[in-house]
Amino acid sequence: MRRWGLPLAGLLGLLVYGALLPLYRTVQPEGLSITRSEARQAADVEARVLGVDVDRAFAVTTWENSDILEKEFRGDAARWRAATHDPVVGPRLGGYKVTYYRPGLDKFPPWAEVVVGVDGKLLWALRRLRAEETGASPSADALRPKADAFVRSRSFPGAPSPVLEDVRPTVLRGRTDHLFRYRVAPGIPTGGVVFYLGVQFAGGDLAGWILAEEYADGRSFRGDSGGNVMIAFLRFGLLFALLIGLVAVFLKKYHAGEAGVETAGVVFAVMIAFCLVADVLLATLTGYGTGLGSLDGRWTTFASAGFRFLFYDLPLSLLVFVAWSVGESVARERWGARLASFDAVLKRDVRNATVGGAILSGAVAAPAVAAATLLAGLPLLLSGEAWPALGNGSVIVLGSSGGALTGVVLAFLDALAGASVVLLCILGSFWRKGRIAAGVVLAVAVGALTIGIPSPVGPTTAGIAAGAGGAAAAIAVFLASDLLAAALSIFGAVLISGLAPLLPGLAGPARVGPYLALLVPLAVLVVVGVAGLATRRRVEYSYDDLAPHVKRIMERERIK
């Protein structure tokens, strides 16, 4: 029965995940049929019409959601479904936003912004002039015929039958800009939210149009960024606290000859390499919205990637290094057999039955770990304390330059960090001392903050609660199998949780990347696992396989 425990858990997890996913994916894009590159091509055409030198500009493509609409329909699946089919509200729920920055000039304001909807239609396009650029200062009455003619000249997705409501001038030293706001009426109740089509003039020239929403009573929108900032500080604090504490333990053990660095050095090198790849893929997303004085958009992006590497990737890699050294020191005495398959992979001996069995165990258990995140967040979701959200997985896949490939790279990093820090080091240290319950609780708490299993749920605190469920499931896989199986179950769970919520809403070419990113890695794992099992060659964990420092520890214990 134990042999079939993980496969049965994985099958049950797959069924549970499929049953619960519709409750979580309310706000995911529906009918998205274009890729990032197709959206960029459509935006480039319109940007050239606006007078932007696209070949010189630094362009960033991100996914744009309407925060005000997401908050208005939060937790109400029926209203959200009705909104997706409304000709006014539906197009405004999300689309690809391409922002163009001027070369050599500070990032804000951008040169132009173009938003392309899920079906490839232009939602808005606006060229933004800098304050020092000069132009005419016409009156609103002189510009109104031009604005009305522009509104009549084409159809605007998200703004059928617009009616002029007001004109808002902006008087600058060298010109006067005007925003003509046309009111549009939605076909569904939207609470206190009103909708506009804005036609912008810079001086006497048409600068483009936008879709806008605001509260009818004039109050400002208040988002949930405060909680996100607090959780981010908590995660950074935990990262550095663990690093400082484990460095102290590592130095003590290394000085006493009880910790080795050979294997940990290999793990560190792999972490650094994948972190650099992730930084390249995430550079435009992490740099978007960040301004660094007089730096232009390109250099701001490079600087943001550098800050991420120095203040997050490098400390995380160092943490994995010391966690592996300390964890290996304390775990090999009791859990040596659980490290055999991982050791074989590090020694590039992959094709054997030990590694094959661990790989298959991790692959089949991944749906159970993913389902545990949804189960952990379900009580909060049903009680109304949490709500479906786009989630980091969807944001990264839609908004990063690497697309779905970024999700694969981040899943690998989460798996390696989770296996080293949470399972091998924290759980192993407490288990060795006989404090099993305390070790499991601490490992779950740390895993909820460090293992990045994406959860399509908000607020951030609910996402952490869901992450705790995934961490607990990964610990169960480790105890039922070994370290490699647990690491791969985390890898597969991160992929499933990041990509599966998006898949039902995709169509046409937009499906290809996410489906490949989800299915190809899992299929490769299954093929490699089956090939390893076919050899029937077991990698036995023996005294000769122990690291020298572990042999010294055992000899000291024998003498005592």
Side-chain angles (χ1 to χ4, degrees), residues 294-487:
S294 59
L295 291 182
D296 64 7
R298 188 184 307 275
W299 283 105
T300 298
T301 299
F302 294 159
S304 298
F307 282 128
R308 175 184 169 86
F309 178 78
L310 289 175
F311 296 108
Y312 180 75
D313 294 334
L314 187 57
L316 178 62
S317 300
L318 289 172
L319 175 61
V320 169
F321 171 81
V322 295
W324 185 276
S325 295
V326 173
E328 183 184 38
S329 173
V330 301
R332 285 194 183 276
E333 301 171 46
R334 179 182 293 270
W335 285 343
R338 297 185 192 276
L339 275 64
S341 60
F342 214 112
D343 282 342
V345 172
L346 293 176
K347 295 175 182 177
R348 291 177 293 184
D349 181 14
V350 179
R351 195 160 179 250
N352 60 74
T354 302
V355 172
I359 290 176
L360 283 179
S361 296
V364 299
V369 178
T373 63
L374 300 189
L375 281 172
L378 187 61
L380 294 173
L381 191 69
L382 296 179
S383 66
E385 297 296 325
W387 51 83
L390 195 61
N392 286 337
S394 299
V395 170
I396 289 172
V397 171
L398 296 172
S400 69
S401 58
L405 176 62
T406 310
V408 178
V409 175
L410 293 179
F412 179 86
L413 291 172
D414 289 328
L416 189 54
S420 303
V421 179
V422 178
L423 302 178
L424 185 61
C425 184
I426 295 177
L427 187 63
S429 297
F430 278 81
W431 205 285
R432 178 175 179 263
K433 297 177 181 179
R435 301 175 181 175
I436 298 174
V440 171
V441 171
L442 184 60
V444 169
V446 174
L449 291 168
T450 58
I451 300 177
I453 301 179
S455 304
V457 63
T460 309
T461 51
I464 292 176
I475 291 172
V477 174
F478 175 58
L479 297 177
S481 184
D482 65 5
L483 186 64
L484 180 60

Side-chain angles (χ1 to χ4, degrees), residues 246-282:
L246 289 180
V247 164
V249 175
F250 165 75
L251 292 176
K252 180 180 178 180
K253 285 183 170 292
Y254 186 76
H255 180 71
E258 297 178 359
V261 297
E262 182 178 354
T263 305
V266 175
V267 176
F268 174 79
V270 173
M271 279 290 298
I272 284 290
F274 273 82
C275 282
L276 288 172
V277 174
D279 289 339
V280 172
L281 299 177
L282 286 169

Side-chain angles (χ1 to χ4, degrees), residues 86-98:
D86 185 80
V88 173
V89 183
R92 300 168 184 257
L93 295 177
Y96 284 111
K97 181 179 182 180
V98 184

Side-chain angles (χ1 to χ4, degrees), residues 470-515:
I475 291 172
V477 174
F478 175 58
L479 297 177
S481 184
D482 65 5
L483 186 64
L484 180 60
L488 292 178
S489 71
I490 296 173
F491 173 77
V494 174
L495 281 183
I496 294 171
S497 300
L499 295 170
L502 274 173
L503 295 180
L506 302 181
R511 291 177 174 176
V512 177
Y515 269 102

